[in-house]
Amino acid sequence: FGRTLPVDPAIGGGDGMKKFVDYAHSLGAPVYLDTEYGLNNTGAGGFEKKFAGVANLAGQNIDVRMLYNTDSISAVSDKFAMKSMNDDLADYRKLGVDGLVVNRIGSELYSDYNTQYGSSRDEARDVQTDILKSIQDNLGGVEGVSSNFYALPYVHHIQNMVSDYSYDLFSDEAVPFAQIATHGLITYSFDYSNNRDENINGFLREIEYGSVPSYVFTHAETSDFLNAYGIRFYSTKFSDWASVAAEEYKRFNEALGDVQNLFIVGHRSLAPNVKETTYENGKRIIVNYNTEPFRSGNVDVPAQNFIVMEGGAAGR
């Protein structure tokens, strides 16, 4: 964490990365590098926890506990993160990448009492948006991870957007407020499609909420990664998923491919566990989570499946 550049020689170094980027571009595929400047356990950029780490009111540094191991990683003061990011931008441009994926930046705010780099939460928000704008201006694209809404003007895609209910105490059912607000303005994906807790329900939720598919693949056997640092994926080998992912992607594309730039204008329950999402061109997608078919008038949705009902003329 904290060190993205230089590219590790074990995977080809800077020259190898540049060749990879050029090859991807020849196929029409953009390349975004995953970064983490908001945490640091490498000392990259001259980071020292006691001088550049987030501190609480008592002057104690704040650590972030990793989800899949027992390590605690130092949270980096946002102003130091901005300095580190800006120092690397020229090297990213040389690699020709299309943008960066940011992690803590844009998704977490601290009241930071660091004496040199500290900031209030309001100021931290402004610093983080400056970081995102700088990436956008210099490289062209930014993808966020579980981003907060203050990041929306600067990101064009959000990875791992929360896909369950809104945590609103005044609602007795899940309402996709965030998705309704953002669909047609940016794209978003949920957890990796080959890492779902419940495969069928997860797929249907992505269709209902207008998500795009997202997968994590490896060339090597999944078992090679089970004890890797901070990684807990249990089915990643590409050859095991190639045909399944292609078929699933086809279904996504048929349902949502022509409405990704359109607003969601309606969302309602037709019956328990039967949801209807309507787009501004009139297209309706009805999802049935039940183990029995849903029938009502001219609507017939198979069990644990969805149907698409085309609307009128296309919108924006």
Side-chain angles (χ1 to χ4, degrees):
F1 296 104
R3 184 186 302 281
T4 301
L5 299 174
V7 180
D8 194 324
I11 59 171
D15 290 342
M17 179 62 77
K18 183 66 170 64
K19 290 178 182 177
F20 170 76
V21 171
D22 290 344
Y23 176 68
H25 286 170
S26 74
L27 302 176
V31 176
Y32 288 74
L33 297 185
D34 194 286
T35 66
E36 180 53 278
Y37 286 91
L39 303 175
N40 196 313
N41 61 350
T42 61
F47 175 79
E48 291 186 54
K49 177 178 178 177
K50 62 182 178 180
F51 296 120
V54 176
N56 62 20
L57 187 58
Q60 298 171 322
N61 289 115
I62 294 175
D63 292 337
V64 176
R65 183 74 175 267
M66 295 293 97
L67 181 61
Y68 296 123
N69 57 51
T70 59
D71 286 359
S72 293
I73 311 300
S74 299
V76 179
S77 290
D78 289 314
K79 291 177 182 178
F80 186 90
M82 180 168 64
K83 173 181 175 298
S84 299
M85 172 71 74
N86 286 335
D87 287 345
D88 286 344
L89 284 174
D91 291 322
Y92 289 125
R93 286 198 301 272
K94 291 178 183 177
L95 293 174
V97 298
D98 299 275
L100 301 179
V101 180
V102 295
N103 283 271
R104 189 181 75 76
I105 302 300
S107 68
E108 291 183 352
L109 293 174
Y110 294 110
S111 293
D112 184 4
Y113 295 89
N114 182 295
T115 55
Q116 183 173 356
Y117 296 104
S119 56
S120 66
R121 280 171 57 85
D122 282 348
E123 189 178 5
R125 177 201 59 210
D126 294 340
V127 172
Q128 289 191 16
T129 56
D130 285 344
I131 293 173
L132 299 175
K133 186 177 186 301
S134 182
I135 300 171
Q136 184 186 66
D137 290 344
N138 281 273
L139 302 179
V142 188
E143 292 191 7
V145 179
S146 302
S147 302
N148 286 315
F149 271 28
Y150 62 83
L152 291 184
Y154 311 100
V155 300
H156 70 272
H157 179 79
I158 296 178
Q159 299 180 16
N160 202 30
M161 180 183 274
V162 174
S163 61
D164 61 359
Y165 65 99
S166 65
Y167 302 97
D168 189 330
L169 296 178
F170 301 100
S171 177
D172 60 0
E173 63 179 279
V175 178
F177 290 115
Q179 290 78 15
I180 291 172
T182 56
H183 199 284
L185 301 174
I186 64 171
T187 57
Y188 46 82
S189 56
F190 301 149
D191 193 9
Y192 294 120
S193 297
N194 55 324
N195 200 48
R196 299 182 185 118
D197 292 331
E198 297 179 280
N199 188 53
I200 294 176
N201 282 348
F203 170 71
L204 293 177
R205 180 62 60 88
E206 291 165 29
I207 294 294
E208 178 194 350
Y209 282 12
S211 174
V212 299
S214 175
Y215 302 89
V216 54
F217 292 134
T218 59
H219 176 70
E221 294 285 347
T222 306
S223 57
D224 292 349
F225 296 89
L226 290 184
N227 294 315
Y229 180 84
I231 297 174
R232 291 297 183 273
F233 301 131
Y234 294 98
S235 183
T236 60
K237 188 175 182 182
F238 177 72
S239 59
D240 294 338
W241 278 93
S243 61
V244 175
E247 179 59 31
E248 191 169 271
Y249 184 89
K250 180 181 178 182
R251 297 191 71 195
F252 268 103
N253 200 45
E254 290 172 348
L256 301 170
D258 62 343
V259 295
Q260 278 302 313
N261 67 331
L262 301 183
F263 292 129
I264 293 174
V265 297
H267 181 273
R268 61 174 179 160
S269 295
L270 301 183
N273 297 317
V274 180
K275 306 290 185 177
E276 179 189 77
T277 304
T278 305
Y279 292 89
E280 61 177 297
N281 65 347
K283 186 176 198 176
R284 293 185 293 153
I285 297 178
I286 301 175
V287 176
N288 179 16
Y289 292 92
N290 297 305
T291 56
E292 298 293 332
F294 170 77
R295 296 182 178 88
S296 177
N298 65 338
V299 175
D300 190 345
V301 189
Q304 296 188 314
N305 212 322
F306 69 92
I307 64 170
V308 176
M309 304 186 73
E310 298 295 344
R316 295 183 298 112

